[in-house]
Amino acid sequence: MTTHTFDLVVLGGGSGGYAAALRAAELGKSVALIEKDKVGGTCLHRGCIPTKALLHAAEVAEHVRDAASVGVSATFNGVDASGVRAYRENIVAKKFKGLEGLVKARGITTVAGAGRLAADRSVVVGDDVYVGTDVVLATGSYSRTLPGLEIGGRILTSEQALALDVVPERVLVLGGGVIGVEFASVWRSFGAEVTIIEAFDHLVPNEDITLSKGLERAFRRRGIQYSLGKRFETASQDDSSVTVTLEDGTSFTGDYLLVAVGRGPVTEDLGFEDAGVTLDRGFVIVDEHLRTGVPGLWAVGDIVPGLQLAHRGFLQGIAVAERIAGLSPAPIPESEIPKITYCNPEVASVGLSEAKAAEAHGSDAIVSYEYNLAGNGKSEIIGTSGVVKVVRLKDGPVIGVHLLGDRVGELITEGQLAVAWEAHPEDIAPLIHAHPTQSEALGEAFLALAGKPLHAL
């Protein structure tokens, strides 16, 4: 075996891993980045980027259908699935090429191969051993399924759904979280009949109830069907269809079934436990600084319990690289990380929901305000309904911002600033939001909570 020595060895080249590698190299460290597939990981190749390309194609389809409503003559002649796929793959290819160039420019050694952590904290790839003064584990996640529900044929995960070369006529989606509602939104825009099956009582159940109910109303208007509060029992398929049966005996049939019940950590059989890493249900347990408890061994991204988001991985990878270099970045609470679901309409949030805020501080200690996008000029122009909801402590800072509507994902950074900087609505109210913009809706909510509403009572 050949031994290679670096300041930092990163196992996994997804969002968290390559962010750690890039920042460490920027800080003068020698870095080896080990990836069994392609640098960029799930987000770039099978997740964030390709799914958002699909969602943009879906948005274009909706605009063409609705063109007459704004006085534009256009005819919707259907969706060319192969053309959409080529568009999506071209975007991924360009982003991948750019990332490869960036990694190379930083002087990072990229190792193509499946790495395994050894008991002495080195990483073995084939006949080579990579030894780092520090090692970052960033092996990512995989699409989960349910017991007794085998993936294959017409039963798909998001990865297989991306590869479909047809638009289904009828499709079932098991899971009403982020992945499920995004694919449901795409397929409906492409013309499919869609039914979502969610065991919890609401779609996007991790969001504030105002957003969940608003999304449900919007999906009903779009003709997206859903079953809530009933658990999956069985699924069967033949050459042309899939049938799902729920615990109460209700059944649904579609051309395909998308299984979107969350993602699990990729940690099995990688030597983590033999090296002293503590696992809980497969997740790597770390402290607030992302240390595993084994000296010089860190973990970031989807294998760490919490939000499974690419930008969380970026944040954690950068933080670990800086700590290794002797800097002291402050830990960021999970509640201050923005979340966006890119369906139509979009859902975006940061901070505490009203229910979580009441649980943490008491219902008498909080105040919330909802501003309907019907009062926002730009939202009316682009034809979206929705709501801005802001939660604050009485006479205190903003602790939650929750948005529903087309394009509201672009607004959540302002919400993050308000929450993370513990701003009071009175601090933000004097700041001017350009007119006409959707950001004015946030401004209206802050004005109202500051006691001086403008375009609201």
Side-chain angles (χ1 to χ4, degrees), residues 246-298:
L246 307 186
E247 283 182 336
D248 68 349
T250 305
S251 64
F252 302 92
T253 299
D255 300 336
Y256 293 93
L257 169 65
L258 170 65
V259 180
V261 294
R263 297 184 65 83
V266 177
T267 56
E268 189 175 359
D269 297 328
L270 292 178
F272 289 5
E273 289 178 293
D274 292 340
V277 175
T278 300
L279 300 180
D280 180 11
R281 295 170 294 118
F283 290 97
V284 176
I285 301 305
V286 295
D287 65 11
E288 65 174 354
H289 299 292
L290 302 166
R291 297 174 296 206
T292 65
V294 178
L297 191 58
W298 314 71

Side-chain angles (χ1 to χ4, degrees), residues 328-361:
S328 301
I332 302 296
E334 294 273 309
S335 63
E336 293 180 9
I337 299 173
K339 301 176 294 181
I340 305 174
T341 304
Y342 296 87
C343 51
N344 173 14
E346 288 184 351
V347 176
S349 65
V350 66
L352 300 179
S353 67
E354 185 172 5
K356 291 292 184 183
E359 188 179 304
H361 301 283

Side-chain angles (χ1 to χ4, degrees), residues 158-194:
S158 58
E159 287 88 345
Q160 289 90 44
L162 276 172
L164 277 181
D165 57 3
V166 297
V167 175
E169 291 185 10
R170 303 170 302 162
V171 63
L172 308 178
V173 178
L174 183 59
V178 173
I179 296 172
V181 300
E182 288 186 351
F183 271 95
S185 186
V186 167
W187 279 322
R188 184 58 184 157
S189 294
F190 284 174
E193 295 179 8
V194 182

Side-chain angles (χ1 to χ4, degrees), residues 10 38 57 84 219 311 452:
V10 181
K38 293 180 179 179
V84 171
F219 271 19
H311 47 280
K452 47 181 181 181

Side-chain angles (χ1 to χ4, degrees), residues 168-440:
E169 291 185 10
R170 303 170 302 162
V171 63
L172 308 178
V173 178
L174 183 59
V178 173
I179 296 172
V181 300
E182 288 186 351
F183 271 95
S185 186
V186 167
W187 279 322
R188 184 58 184 157
S189 294
F190 284 174
E193 295 179 8
V194 182
T195 301
I196 303 171
I197 301 163
E198 170 55 54
F200 285 102
D201 292 334
H202 292 285
L203 298 180
V204 289
N206 292 326
E207 297 290 349
D208 187 277
I209 190 65
T210 297
L211 303 192
S212 293
K213 289 182 176 180
L215 182 64
E216 290 162 17
R217 289 192 295 271
F219 271 19
R220 279 199 301 271
R221 288 194 295 269
R222 293 187 60 198
I224 297 174
Q225 306 297 313
Y226 46 83
S227 168
L228 304 174
K230 299 173 185 177
R231 293 187 176 276
F232 165 86
E233 181 72 25
T234 62
S236 60
Q237 63 175 308
D238 56 29
D239 291 341
S240 61
S241 66
V242 181
T243 298
V244 170
T245 304
L246 307 186
E247 283 182 336
D248 68 349
T250 305
S251 64
F252 302 92
T253 299
D255 300 336
Y256 293 93
L257 169 65
L258 170 65
V259 180
V261 294
R263 297 184 65 83
V266 177
T267 56
E268 189 175 359
D269 297 328
L270 292 178
F272 289 5
E273 289 178 293
D274 292 340
V277 175
T278 300
L279 300 180
D280 180 11
R281 295 170 294 118
F283 290 97
V284 176
I285 301 305
V286 295
D287 65 11
E288 65 174 354
H289 299 292
L290 302 166
R291 297 174 296 206
T292 65
V294 178
L297 191 58
W298 314 71
V300 301
D302 285 0
I303 62 173
V304 174
L307 298 170
Q308 292 179 312
L309 300 169
H311 47 280
R312 174 181 179 255
F314 294 149
L315 175 76
Q316 292 182 339
I318 291 167
V320 163
E322 291 181 347
R323 287 171 190 140
I324 288 170
L327 304 177
S328 301
I332 302 296
E334 294 273 309
S335 63
E336 293 180 9
I337 299 173
K339 301 176 294 181
I340 305 174
T341 304
Y342 296 87
C343 51
N344 173 14
E346 288 184 351
V347 176
S349 65
V350 66
L352 300 179
S353 67
E354 185 172 5
K356 291 292 184 183
E359 188 179 304
H361 301 283
S363 57
D364 293 338
I366 63 170
V367 179
S368 69
Y369 179 80
E370 296 179 16
Y371 180 81
N372 195 306
L373 291 188
N376 177 257
K378 186 60 178 287
S379 296
E380 183 73 21
I381 289 166
I382 67 174
T384 185
S385 59
V387 66
V388 168
K389 181 174 183 176
V390 177
V391 182
R392 74 172 297 182
L393 294 178
K394 279 185 180 177
D395 302 318
V398 173
I399 56 175
V401 174
H402 310 276
L403 312 173
L404 174 71
D406 292 351
R407 306 182 188 177
V408 296
E410 299 295 340
L411 307 182
I412 200 59
T413 298
E414 181 179 346
Q416 182 190 28
L417 290 174
V419 171
W421 288 352
E422 299 181 350
H424 290 223
E426 292 81 3
D427 299 326
I428 308 170
L431 302 177
I432 299 171
H433 291 78
H435 176 76
T437 63
Q438 284 187 288
S439 69
E440 286 181 284

